[in-house]
Amino acid sequence: MDRETRMFAESHFRGLQGRLSSRVSLPSDRVDFIEKPDSFSYADFFKGYLLPNVPCVFSSAFTEGWGSRRHWVTPSGKPDFDYLLQNFGDVVVPVANCGVQEYNSNPKEHMPLRDYLSYWKEFIQQDYSSPRGCLYLKDWHLCRDSSAEGVFTLPVYFSSDWLNEYWDYLDVDDYRFIYMGPTGTWSPFHADIFRSFSWSVNICGRKKWFFFPPGQEEALRDCHGGLPYDVTAPTLWDSHLHPMAKHCSPPLEVTQEAGEMVFVPSGWHHQVHNLEDTISINHNWVNGCNLATMWHFLQQELLAVQQEVSEWKDTMQDWHHHCQVIMKSCSGINFEEFYHFLKVIAERRVLLLAKETGPGEVEEGESTGLGPQQAAFDVGRIAEVLASVVAHPDFQRLDTSVFLPRPEDLLQQLEEVLATTASL
């Protein structure tokens, strides 16, 4: 990040005055297509898509050097089952059944990749049908389970990735996934975890995306308040089941070709269908641009838990603590872990800023977009959200005396650091 981009971003958030951006401004009913890597900078992406929170598609030129595009795909553009079997056959992977609805998702089982590839080949041979149903390999943590060296290169546009930075620091998990499945596999209507950003690259095959800007999903709720499972189902337009659907604008539709990269903005609900046999690499990520959105989402998640168990509030000992426990089991994170997430990223940015950059030297982290300007921007965003966290009544109920540093002390430290960054 350069200084001009940082100033632009800080002005944007000052204008919001701590509020979430309530409107998404789309230039048209289409999604921009970014064709040439050489003429599209990190600043272009940051100002044009990340900050305004709108989707775009990058051409296959951005991923042409990836090892997975060379090795995982046959010359005819199909998945190379032999290569995948030889290199990853014994890895146990999660597989969803697209033909079975379990709430607003699909039930999963685990099997060795070799068994899934065997099923996939039989599925193709049987004219894309099977008594086992339509099975989709989803959420395979390749980077966590085995070496992903040479598989892909993280695009600089997505390099400010706090979610995976945090989980890599803890060395317990990540939000980097492989998806693969035959024609007809699909992901039901959803918004990404923690209302994160995501990016998705087709290693081979084609996908059809249906995008709904934040807030549009509310018009799609059924008469019981539930979100739809499938936005392509005819029942969506039944006014008795979905009385508000007629007020929803049509989705933005995107057909993603092999090698192309889709940027999915924060909080956009979407549904995705594989039009061909497809393999994709997908990451979820959070940074300073959508941190406030993540915090708002977590507050809503806790409120939903509290409403669900409200009848036991007066009789259950440590009711507020149990709400946090339930929230973590349902959402994967609670207020305590969110604080530790902020603390880890904050301390790493403060350390980066403390390292002086001499005349003529390359700023540390510049190749990944994490130079001093990015670090200063990050500290500012963390400080603003942390101030809201510290003031939240449910956070104040936690025993923060065991936190190191104490939340108030960390906030004061960040504010002092910010005062020194004006001259950067």
Side-chain angles (χ1 to χ4, degrees):
M1 177 183 282
D2 57 35
R3 178 175 172 78
E4 193 275 332
T5 303
R6 175 190 155 202
M7 295 295 103
F8 183 90
E10 290 178 348
S11 174
H12 169 85
F13 285 107
R14 276 197 303 272
L16 291 176
Q17 298 180 328
R19 304 184 307 273
L20 293 181
S21 181
S22 59
R23 296 184 64 85
V24 173
S25 299
L26 292 173
S28 66
D29 58 355
R30 63 178 181 82
V31 173
D32 287 350
F33 186 75
I34 315 301
E35 201 160 345
K36 298 178 180 178
D38 293 343
S39 58
F40 190 73
S41 68
Y42 178 79
D44 292 333
F45 174 68
F46 192 97
K47 294 177 185 177
Y49 303 94
L50 193 61
L51 208 54
N53 201 43
V54 293
C56 64
V57 179
F58 297 78
S59 77
S60 60
F62 287 82
T63 63
E64 63 182 1
W66 287 18
S68 52
R69 288 195 58 198
R70 294 193 305 273
H71 304 305
W72 293 18
V73 184
T74 66
S76 62
K78 301 296 183 182
D80 192 329
F81 295 130
D82 292 338
Y83 180 90
L84 294 168
L85 180 63
Q86 181 178 348
N87 288 272
F88 307 108
D90 293 330
V91 178
V92 176
V93 295
V95 176
N97 190 334
C98 295
V100 178
Q101 179 178 352
E102 191 173 81
Y103 301 102
N104 269 30
S105 189
N106 308 117
K108 284 184 179 177
E109 59 180 309
H110 288 79
M111 64 180 71
L113 180 63
R114 65 175 65 254
D115 291 352
Y116 181 73
L117 295 177
S118 176
Y119 155 83
W120 193 349
K121 288 187 281 188
E122 290 178 5
F123 191 79
I124 294 171
Q125 292 167 358
Q126 296 170 5
D127 197 24
Y128 289 89
S129 65
S130 168
R132 297 174 63 186
C134 188
L135 304 184
Y136 192 9
L137 189 163
K138 301 175 70 173
D139 301 326
W140 170 23
H141 293 259
L142 173 64
C143 296
R144 188 184 67 189
D145 296 339
S146 58
S147 173
E149 186 176 355
V151 171
F152 70 96
T153 302
L154 180 65
V156 66
Y157 313 104
F158 315 135
S159 55
S160 179
D161 175 355
W162 302 5
L163 208 53
N164 287 298
E165 180 181 355
Y166 174 70
W167 288 108
D168 287 349
Y169 173 84
L170 297 182
D171 196 25
V172 294
D173 205 352
D174 70 355
Y175 286 90
R176 308 177 182 98
F177 307 106
I178 307 295
Y179 282 44
M180 56 177 73
T183 305
T185 46
W186 64 294
S187 293
F189 186 65
H190 69 284
D192 287 328
I193 187 167
F194 308 144
R195 296 304 180 261
S196 58
F197 299 123
S198 66
W199 60 263
S200 177
V201 173
N202 282 353
I203 303 306
C204 63
R206 304 168 70 234
K207 291 181 185 285
K208 181 66 170 286
W209 295 73
F210 299 90
F211 284 112
F212 292 83
Q216 283 286 316
E217 75 280 359
E218 295 301 323
L220 299 177
R221 292 188 182 275
D222 62 24
C223 53
H224 305 291
L227 290 171
Y229 171 70
D230 178 4
V231 294
T232 68
T235 52
L236 188 64
W237 306 112
D238 184 329
S239 60
H240 297 290
L241 292 175
H242 297 272
M244 299 298 291
K246 61 185 178 183
H247 301 295
C248 184
S249 299
L252 284 173
E253 297 187 19
V254 173
T255 299
Q256 179 190 14
E257 305 291 340
E260 292 180 353
M261 180 164 62
V262 170
F263 165 60
V264 181
S266 180
W268 283 58
H269 280 70
H270 51 282
Q271 184 168 310
V272 193
H273 295 254
N274 289 328
L275 304 179
E276 297 177 356
D277 296 334
T278 301
I279 301 175
S280 65
I281 296 178
N282 314 272
H283 284 201
N284 293 102
W285 49 299
V286 169
N287 62 26
C289 292
N290 65 339
L291 182 65
T293 302
M294 179 182 180
W295 169 230
H296 176 75
F297 169 73
L298 295 179
Q299 292 175 77
Q300 296 300 111
E301 288 292 281
L302 179 61
L303 182 60
V305 170
Q306 291 173 336
Q307 291 174 341
E308 192 69 25
V309 298
S310 60
E311 62 184 287
W312 293 288
K313 184 175 182 179
D314 297 328
T315 57
M316 180 185 291
Q317 189 175 6
D318 296 329
W319 180 83
H320 288 285
H321 169 73
H322 286 295
C323 287
Q324 293 282 343
V325 172
I326 295 168
M327 176 188 176
K328 185 166 184 177
S329 69
C330 295
S331 305
I333 193 172
N334 59 12
F335 281 17
E336 179 178 351
E337 176 127 40
F338 184 63
Y339 170 71
H340 289 297
F341 166 69
L342 296 178
K343 182 196 78 165
V344 166
I345 303 303
E347 290 178 340
R348 291 166 71 90
R349 297 302 180 271
V350 170
L351 183 62
L352 192 156
L353 286 168
K355 296 180 178 179
E356 293 185 8
T357 301
E361 293 182 16
V362 175
E363 294 181 340
E364 180 174 338
E366 186 175 328
S367 62
T368 59
L370 294 180
Q373 299 295 340
Q374 180 77 58
F377 169 73
D378 290 353
V379 168
R381 298 304 307 132
I382 295 171
E384 181 178 300
V385 170
L386 180 57
S388 175
V389 173
V390 168
H392 196 285
D394 285 292
F395 184 79
Q396 293 174 354
R397 290 188 175 95
L398 303 180
D399 180 11
T400 60
S401 64
V402 296
F403 293 3
L404 290 174
R406 294 281 296 272
E408 296 82 359
D409 296 338
L410 177 60
L411 180 57
Q412 181 178 346
Q413 181 190 11
L414 296 182
E415 289 171 345
E416 291 171 355
V417 169
L418 279 176
T420 70
T421 62
S423 60
L424 271 179

